[in-house]
Amino acid sequence: MTRDKVLNLIGLAMKAGHVVSGEFSVEKYIKSGKARLVIIATDASQNTKKKFEDKCKFYNVPILIYSTKEDLGIALGKGLRSSMTLTEDGFKNAILKITEE
């Protein structure tokens, strides 16, 4: 049930225009300070996970390893997605609250 809530929120955030996905764009948003919460698929490569974990730590952005590339892609209405970021605090807070329960 929790998983669906998170994916639903990701879908809503996408419709509201508060999601950026794709490795290059996510990286750009982290560096520019616009990333609020980075979400990486559990089945993303170790390199991808490490790269974003290091970047997020350096720029002090929360990171969540969550769901699969396929499920993230479906939630976003796109193909497979291994990385995405939320650009708005409301959705970030809602998702962190659910995942911390």
Side-chain angles (χ1 to χ4, degrees):
M1 187 62 208
T2 310
R3 167 161 299 198
D4 295 346
K5 277 189 200 165
V6 171
L7 292 172
N8 285 342
L9 280 168
I10 289 170
L12 288 172
M14 182 69 188
K15 285 186 183 83
H18 296 302
V19 172
V20 174
S21 68
E23 221 162 294
F24 181 73
S25 303
V26 172
E27 213 172 317
K28 205 169 86 181
Y29 267 70
I30 293 170
K31 288 179 181 170
S32 70
K34 292 180 192 157
R36 294 290 171 255
L37 171 64
V38 172
I39 300 175
I40 306 296
T42 51
D43 56 352
S45 73
Q46 286 308 317
N47 279 353
T48 300
K49 287 181 195 167
K50 175 152 178 37
K51 180 169 95 175
F52 282 109
E53 281 167 351
D54 293 347
K55 282 243 180 316
C56 286
K57 188 180 224 164
F58 184 81
Y59 289 97
N60 205 14
V61 176
I63 184 169
L64 188 61
I65 308 285
Y66 192 83
S67 199
T68 63
K69 292 185 213 178
E70 188 179 7
D71 285 344
L72 289 177
I74 290 167
L76 296 173
K78 297 183 185 288
L80 299 175
R81 279 290 179 272
S82 56
S83 59
M84 55 167 284
T85 183
L86 294 164
T87 58
E88 190 266 344
D89 283 326
F91 286 110
K92 172 196 94 170
N93 295 337
I95 287 174
L96 287 177
K97 192 174 172 214
I98 293 167
T99 55
E100 283 162 8
E101 277 172 7

